[in-house]
Amino acid sequence: MWSLSSQQAELRRIQAAGGGVYEAFRGKRAEDISLMINNMRDKIGSFGALTAQQTPLTKIFEIVAETIPDSAWVEDFKYENPLALDGKMPVRTLEVAGGVSDKSRALEQEIAYRFGDNLRGDKRFLEAFPAIEPSVEAPRSEGTAGEEAARKPTTFTIKCASQRAKGGV
C-alpha cells in the first residue's frame, strides 16, 4: 500500500537519479508524449506479431533436407528477413541454389523442378513461403566445350518469398 510519504520518497529518488524526465519528452505536451508512447507500443506489438508468426529458420532447413531429391544438393542459402518498424509486414525471402547430377539432362531438370514441387507440397514450408519459383539451367554443350559441359551438373535456384508478388506468383 502506497502512502504519501512513500510516494514522496520515490519522487526524491527519481529526482536524485536525474530528474525522471527523459530528454525525448522534455518540453513536450502530455498529448504528444502519449502519442509517442502509443507509437512505440504499436511498433513493439507489430514486432511481436511478426516474430510470433514466423517459422523458425532451423525448421526451414529441416524441411529442405527432408524434401530434396537424392541426386540433388544445396550449395547456397540466401535468407533475408528485414525488420519493419512501420507496422507493415516485410517480405522475407529465401533463395536456395544447388545442383543435380543424374543419368540425363532431362532427368536432372525434372528432378530440380520436383524439388520446388516438394517444397510447395510441404504445408509448413508453404505457410512460411507461399511464393516459390524454381529456375533450372543445364550447361550448354555446343562446340569443343561440349565435353566439358557434359561433366558439369545442372544447376537450380529456388526463390521463395513470404508474400506473393502483386502480379501473380
Side-chain angles (χ1 to χ4, degrees):
M1 184 175 209
W2 289 92
S3 68
L4 182 57
S5 63
S6 66
Q7 288 178 348
Q8 288 173 334
E10 179 67 12
L11 178 59
R12 281 191 298 276
R13 186 189 67 74
I14 290 172
Q15 288 173 335
V21 177
Y22 290 105
E23 195 59 40
F25 298 146
R26 200 172 300 280
K28 301 265 195 280
R29 297 178 320 181
E31 296 85 26
D32 295 334
I33 293 170
S34 180
L35 184 61
M36 289 172 68
I37 290 171
N38 286 335
N39 284 340
M40 288 181 219
R41 285 185 180 139
D42 288 345
K43 288 176 184 177
I44 290 169
S46 64
F47 180 72
L50 171 70
T51 56
Q53 293 176 1
Q54 291 183 4
T55 304
L57 193 53
T58 54
K59 185 59 71 180
I60 297 299
F61 288 147
E62 286 176 19
I63 295 166
V64 168
E66 291 168 4
T67 58
I68 191 165
D70 288 338
S71 56
W73 62 90
V74 172
E75 294 177 343
D76 193 27
F77 278 96
K78 290 180 184 167
Y79 178 68
E80 290 186 20
N81 187 12
L83 177 63
L85 298 178
D86 58 4
K88 295 178 184 174
M89 201 66 143
V91 178
R92 288 173 315 165
T93 60
L94 172 68
E95 188 174 302
V96 181
V100 181
S101 184
D102 213 301
K103 296 175 187 167
S104 70
R105 290 290 181 210
L107 185 57
E108 290 173 356
Q109 291 177 21
E110 188 258 309
I111 289 169
Y113 282 113
R114 184 176 351 128
F115 183 31
D117 291 341
N118 291 350
L119 292 173
R120 261 190 222 97
D122 189 289
K123 183 181 172 187
R124 302 163 299 168
F125 193 88
L126 198 58
E127 187 176 298
F129 297 104
I132 302 170
E133 293 183 47
S135 63
V136 178
E137 185 176 331
R140 301 204 188 278
S141 54
E142 300 167 353
T144 58
E147 246 181 71
E148 185 180 321
R151 290 186 297 230
K152 290 184 178 179
T154 296
T155 58
F156 65 84
T157 301
I158 302 175
K159 295 181 179 182
C160 310
S162 61
Q163 296 175 11
R164 294 183 181 272
K166 290 188 179 180
V169 188

